[in-house]
Amino acid sequence: GRKVDVDDLVGATEIGQRLGIDRRSVHQLRRRHDDFPEPIAQLESAMVWSWPDVERWARQTRRL
């Protein structure tokens, strides 16, 4: 499997804080943009992303 630094793991709340949006908006971005990074894990009550993946996407789409 893929190895990720545990310090790079983020949920929708952390992504929202870093992008200056609320967590609901993070999920809207995920649904509306096919190129939004896939979560690296999906728990029963949350999705988990690698921040470098999301950061790269946010910079490419000028959201960061």
Side-chain angles (χ1 to χ4, degrees), residues 3-4 6 15 20-21 23 33 42 59 63:
K3 292 190 179 205
V4 224
V6 71
I15 292 170
I21 58 177
R23 121 185 238 287
H33 299 278
Q42 184 160 354
R59 290 189 188 286
R63 287 178 172 81

Side-chain angles (χ1 to χ4, degrees), residues 39-59:
I40 59 169
Q42 184 160 354
L43 309 176
E44 190 164 325
S45 62
M47 290 184 231
V48 180
W49 287 267
S50 170
W51 174 245
D53 294 347
V54 177
E55 181 181 30
R56 187 176 317 106
W57 177 85
R59 290 189 188 286

Side-chain angles (χ1 to χ4, degrees), residues 6-55:
V6 71
D7 292 332
D8 288 337
L9 298 177
V10 291
T13 299
E14 292 82 13
I15 292 170
Q17 289 169 344
R18 294 176 187 194
L19 297 182
I21 58 177
D22 63 27
R23 121 185 238 287
R24 186 180 320 175
S25 297
V26 172
H27 289 293
Q28 288 174 350
L29 287 173
R30 182 180 64 80
R31 285 190 293 274
R32 290 179 183 165
H33 299 278
D34 292 338
D35 59 343
F36 192 86
E38 289 293 319
I40 59 169
Q42 184 160 354
L43 309 176
E44 190 164 325
S45 62
M47 290 184 231
V48 180
W49 287 267
S50 170
W51 174 245
D53 294 347
V54 177
E55 181 181 30

